[in-house]
DNA sequence: TAGAGACATTGATGTGGATCAAGTTCTTTC
DNA sequence: GAAAGAACTTGATCCACATCAATGTCTCTA
């Protein structure tokens, strides 16, 4: 991986890595044991890079605990948040399957442990258990869909609409309660929806004045009127 | 598939479908023959839809001849061009691998012939020839990358820069000559780079005044200064 | 080959949201 | 727990680009 970060390889408790993640957790116990022996566990402290653009390391990195922030730098050096990886999600597929260099940066947002599997190891597993391919294909095709949708929103919706959609989507998974917790700083949130922190601030204020949301604290927001949020 | 379009199933000459496309053309002759027997050939006239948003048909569609225009409609009904599929490229993976409905519309841009393979047929092939999975994984991961880059451009680059990048990318594949042929109408081009036809018109004029390009005809453009196009 | 409809250009105008700048509040850390 | 520094908010200004409108040009088709 990146040479700049010391690695804390711990050979115990790969279990989480394997049994938790969608691409492996359909296997039976014995097969999982086999997978566990091939994956390497690794930990990163907040702010450390798992890989960076230009890096060619060919491992698949699966988040076990914590979260990774994937971002890009534009030609002009502006940072664009691509997505946040949560436990069970993976990254590194471009370098792994296409033998290309990474185009993204992957940074730990908090203390984060991941499992890594090399190209040759994964290839062996894919041949032996084709169902793993299928899971990865599922995940990748749904990522293509999500990213296309995200791109389409940049050109067809206003900043306010994108912010509102984002809040409602947070609610979706969170559910149960009508209070969402922003998992990102305002700066990252702004970058993700394609705007600036100043504008996020102003738009949240506007949404509050329209009685669509209520700001509880800086990172907690109550969704008052989900339907009209999507109607903007 | 879509019930609105008559299908022109021709059971001859699947050969192109199979031997031309990256996901199959690494197989040996005998294996290809096997694949040929499972795929279905189909033709579409200009403007016909191969599938549409909401459709749940679970086939992988591979372009053999011609081209398909993939687009989305936003909530507000605005059309966003996602990408153009050329021979060898495929679509339909979301519905196929995730058993979800299509989110895109796929429309023939000209007389187009495609090959289709159903979920169960493909699954059988994937188990038998794991190298096919690998090819699909390659293609999908590179699509994720491209789409992420496209999304990042919407937020970090100006319209002029996006247009310039687009022209240079056209040159890349076309190569040899420094003249590119726009494969899209101005309307589609505008949608693809996230702007309006009016602005495309104006920006092309500006680029010409800067001596970076020269418009030969409405669809042919000479790239005069590739380096500075990327420097904008 | 004329005429209609689609597509492309150009101009005039308005505005959403970026940018710059100045406070304010929240977190670190020593 | 005080000081330093992030992160956040609010205000004032500006501009890139959308939108609306009019005209010009291409290309089907009858």
């Amino acid at each position: 991986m990146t040479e700049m970060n010391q690695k804390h390889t711990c050979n115990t408790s790969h279990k989480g890595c394997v049994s938790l993640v969608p691409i492996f957790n359909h296997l039976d116990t014995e097969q999982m044991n086999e997978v566990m022996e091939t994956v390497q566990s690794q930990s990163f402290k907040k702010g450390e890079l798992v890989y960076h653009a230009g890096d060619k390391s060919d491992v698949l990195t699966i988040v076990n605990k914590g979260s990774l922030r994937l971002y890009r730098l534009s030609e002009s050096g502006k940072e664009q948040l691509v997505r946040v990886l949560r436990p069970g999600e993976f990254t590194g597929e471009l370098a792994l399957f296409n033998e290309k260099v990474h185009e993204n940066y992957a940074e730990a947002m908090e203390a984060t442990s991941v499992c890594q599997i090399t190209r040759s190891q994964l290839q062996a597993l894919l041949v032996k258990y084709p169902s793993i391919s299928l899971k990865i294909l599922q995940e990748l095709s749904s990522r293509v869909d999500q990213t296309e949708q995200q791109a389409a929103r940049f050109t067809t919706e206003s900043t306010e609409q994108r912010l509102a959609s984002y809040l409602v989507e947070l609610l979706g998974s969170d559910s149960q309660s009508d209070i969402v917790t922003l998992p990102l700083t305002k700066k990252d949130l702004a970058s993700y929806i394609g705007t600036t922190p100043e504008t996020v601030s102003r738009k949240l204020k506007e949404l509050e004045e329209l009685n669509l949301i209520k700001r509880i604290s800086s990172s907690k927001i109550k969704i008052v009127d989900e339907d009209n949020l999507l109607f903007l």
Side-chain angles (χ1 to χ4, degrees), chain A:
Chain A
M1 227 36 1
T2 49
E3 44 305 330
M4 58 181 72
N5 297 306
Q6 63 283 42
K7 292 159 213 173
H8 321 271
T9 308
C10 61
N11 286 308
T12 58
S13 131
H14 296 170
K15 240 183 114 185
C17 285
V18 178
S19 61
L20 281 177
V21 310
I23 64 173
F24 294 130
N25 70 6
H26 61 288
L27 299 172
D28 67 35
T29 318
E30 197 183 337
Q31 294 168 338
M32 273 201 214
N33 284 331
E34 186 185 344
V35 176
M36 281 181 215
E37 284 174 19
T38 66
V39 302
Q40 283 283 317
S41 193
Q42 201 166 134
S43 298
F44 294 89
K45 284 184 273 191
K46 178 175 175 172
E48 285 182 336
L49 289 181
V50 176
Y51 60 76
H52 55 85
D55 192 339
K56 63 173 186 8
S57 80
D58 59 345
V59 295
L60 194 71
T61 300
I62 308 163
V63 176
N64 184 17
K65 231 177 50 195
S67 51
L68 297 181
R69 201 172 154 274
L70 296 196
Y71 64 94
R72 291 186 172 231
L73 293 185
S74 69
E75 338 270 284
S76 46
K78 258 178 87 179
E79 204 177 273
Q80 157 76 9
L81 185 76
V82 172
R83 63 196 306 257
V84 171
L85 291 190
R86 313 220 154 269
E89 299 179 307
F90 61 83
T91 181
E93 67 283 346
L94 182 69
L96 198 147
F97 295 123
N98 282 318
E99 317 204 8
K100 299 229 280 191
V101 300
H102 291 277
E103 298 290 348
N104 291 332
Y105 295 77
E107 179 194 305
M109 295 176 71
E110 59 198 294
T112 296
S113 73
V114 304
C115 299
Q116 297 186 315
I117 182 165
T118 64
R119 177 185 297 137
S120 52
Q121 288 169 338
L122 183 63
Q123 252 163 31
L125 283 178
L126 293 185
V127 168
K128 204 158 174 193
Y129 308 117
S131 60
I132 299 177
S133 300
L134 222 78
K135 290 286 180 178
I136 300 182
L137 288 172
Q138 263 174 32
E139 173 67 19
L140 283 183
S141 62
S142 117
R143 290 253 310 263
V144 168
D145 177 59
Q146 285 166 31
T147 312
E148 283 176 356
Q149 181 175 16
Q150 182 72 354
R153 281 184 177 162
F154 286 134
T155 68
T156 56
E157 294 182 5
S158 69
T159 297
E160 194 168 53
Q161 288 171 322
R162 289 191 313 259
L163 177 58
S165 303
Y166 177 79
L167 293 176
V168 171
E169 268 164 32
L170 273 186
L171 192 61
S173 54
D174 220 303
S175 229
Q176 249 50 331
S177 159
D178 55 355
I179 294 183
V180 297
T181 305
L182 299 180
L184 301 170
T185 64
K186 290 277 156 66
K187 188 158 148 279
D188 277 341
L189 168 53
S191 167
Y192 185 62
I193 64 173
T195 183
T196 60
E198 292 96 322
T199 299
V200 169
S201 208
R202 282 185 253 266
K203 293 298 179 188
L204 283 176
K205 196 179 168 194
E206 276 183 45
L207 294 179
E208 191 164 25
E209 280 163 359
L210 291 169
N211 282 317
L212 300 177
I213 66 170
K214 177 106 184 57
R215 281 181 285 181
I216 311 293
S217 71
S218 67
S219 71
K220 290 210 180 298
I221 293 177
K222 180 175 177 185
I223 308 296
V224 177
D225 188 345
E226 183 176 342
D227 294 340
N228 281 314
L229 268 178
L230 294 175
F231 246 131
L232 287 176

